[in-house]
Amino acid sequence: MPELPEVETVMRGMAARLEGRRLTRVAVNRADMRWPFPPGLVDRMTGARVASFRRRGKYILMRLDGGDSVLLHLGMSGRIVLSPARPNFAPAHEHLTLETDDGTHLGFVDPRRFGGVDLVRTDEEDAHRLLAGMGPEPLDPDFTPAVLSAGLAGRRTPLKAALLDQSVVAGLGNIYVSEALFRARLSPRRMAGSVPGIRAGRLVPAIRETLTDAIAAGGSSLRDYVQPDGELGYFQHAWKVYGREGERCEACPGPPICAGIRRLVQSGRSSFYCPRLQR
Ligand SMILES: [Zn+2]
């Protein structure tokens, strides 16, 4: 499932190809994805020029020169696929098709349809129902230890669950929470309410560094992306703990001092951590 770094990478890839271009053809190929496509989407997009992009949490906002923003959510497995324009060709599971005045075809492909598309006025983006309750952007300077402390204070849930809550901090999912907690040396099981203060002071830079490293890996994947046909935003990244149950912990001396990375199921989802270092 794409999290903040993957969404950021998709957005940068879209911006590189679409910014400044005019949308010459827009097609909606079914009535709905996770929710119905908004009425008037095709009319309001067709002929507009793509002005800029913004990411908020796991959402992409494509801002058009007429004052509309197209909100895109990739869901569990949504993909943005770029190719040269292909008249009369709609690949399977491509639910939204865009063509630009320089002959680029962009398809939003999502077989499982957990993703979605909506339309909002650019000056009202932050009031959109999906964005209104969202917490701070972790890479913004106003995401400080004091802000995170306030978000976690008094919470009687595991820290892992609190960090997945998009109202505490935007854009994190299962992978990057595990990675950030490893970096901060905090257990995913620790009660969220015990973190405000000095531990939040460790966690904020750990979250930032984890995301920044992953975005850099995503950027490298974009530079490698030289084919005219291709898919944006999913890249190989070397996780330190995620998906590494039973493997040696790179920060520890190895057995018998550290038995390696362990997996724990919390609310039905896996957390990966080093029980020796993360407390
Ligand atoms: Zn370890």
Side-chain angles (χ1 to χ4, degrees):
M1 181 169 183
E3 300 181 31
L4 187 156
E6 289 80 19
V7 175
E8 177 76 21
T9 302
V10 170
M11 185 199 72
R12 290 181 186 185
M14 289 177 74
R17 293 290 283 273
L18 265 65
E19 239 168 46
R21 310 286 11 149
R22 195 169 289 284
L23 300 174
T24 50
R25 188 169 84 87
V26 177
V28 166
N29 305 320
R30 55 175 294 123
D32 60 8
M33 292 179 64
R34 188 163 185 176
W35 59 81
F37 282 97
L41 180 73
V42 170
D43 283 349
R44 280 162 73 178
M45 292 183 75
T46 305
R49 196 175 287 280
V50 179
S52 62
F53 284 82
R54 175 194 180 200
R55 183 192 51 72
R56 179 73 174 109
K58 300 176 195 170
Y59 296 90
I60 293 170
L61 293 147
M62 179 169 68
R63 294 162 156 182
L64 307 177
D65 62 355
D68 286 319
S69 292
V70 181
L71 177 148
L72 298 160
H73 183 48
L74 299 173
M76 303 285 285
S77 58
R79 279 155 163 72
I80 299 294
V81 182
L82 295 168
S83 67
R86 298 173 289 188
N88 307 316
F89 179 68
H93 307 297
E94 180 171 303
H95 308 310
L96 176 70
T97 302
L98 309 181
E99 279 175 21
T100 65
D101 57 359
D102 70 343
T104 297
H105 176 119
L106 180 151
F108 184 5
V109 176
D110 186 2
R112 299 173 69 186
R113 299 201 308 274
F114 284 109
V117 178
D118 207 356
L119 204 50
V120 59
R121 296 295 293 172
T122 300
D123 55 9
E124 296 170 359
E125 283 173 357
D126 290 328
H128 187 276
R129 67 183 171 89
L130 294 168
L131 308 185
M134 203 174 276
E137 278 294 322
L139 296 176
D140 281 359
D142 59 3
F143 180 60
T144 60
V147 165
L148 180 60
S149 290
L152 296 176
R155 288 198 176 234
R156 300 175 61 81
T157 56
L159 180 54
K160 162 89 183 291
L163 294 175
L164 290 176
D165 180 341
Q166 302 293 297
S167 73
V168 171
V169 56
L172 297 182
N174 215 35
I175 296 174
Y176 295 99
V177 168
S178 277
E179 293 292 309
L181 289 176
F182 176 72
R183 235 182 246 243
R185 305 292 190 250
L186 292 172
S187 168
R189 281 202 268 214
R190 173 178 282 284
M191 280 297 123
S194 74
V195 172
I198 195 162
R199 294 186 186 101
R202 296 206 316 257
L203 188 49
V204 165
I207 290 171
R208 284 224 181 89
E209 288 158 18
T210 299
L211 295 174
T212 303
D213 285 357
I215 289 169
S220 312
S221 78
L222 285 182
R223 282 191 291 280
D224 294 341
Y225 165 73
V226 292
Q227 303 298 324
D229 286 85
E231 185 176 292
L232 295 175
Y234 293 84
F235 47 88
Q236 297 296 316
H237 193 50
W239 315 119
K240 294 184 190 300
V241 289
Y242 185 80
R244 303 187 70 145
E245 182 182 16
E247 292 182 33
R248 183 176 166 150
C249 166
E250 67 163 43
C252 285
I257 295 168
C258 172
I261 305 303
R262 207 173 280 173
R263 184 172 74 96
L264 164 76
V265 176
Q266 294 177 290
S267 309
R269 304 180 72 192
S270 293
S271 300
F272 298 88
Y273 70 111
C274 169
R276 176 172 175 263
L277 290 179
Q278 292 178 249
R279 298 292 169 138

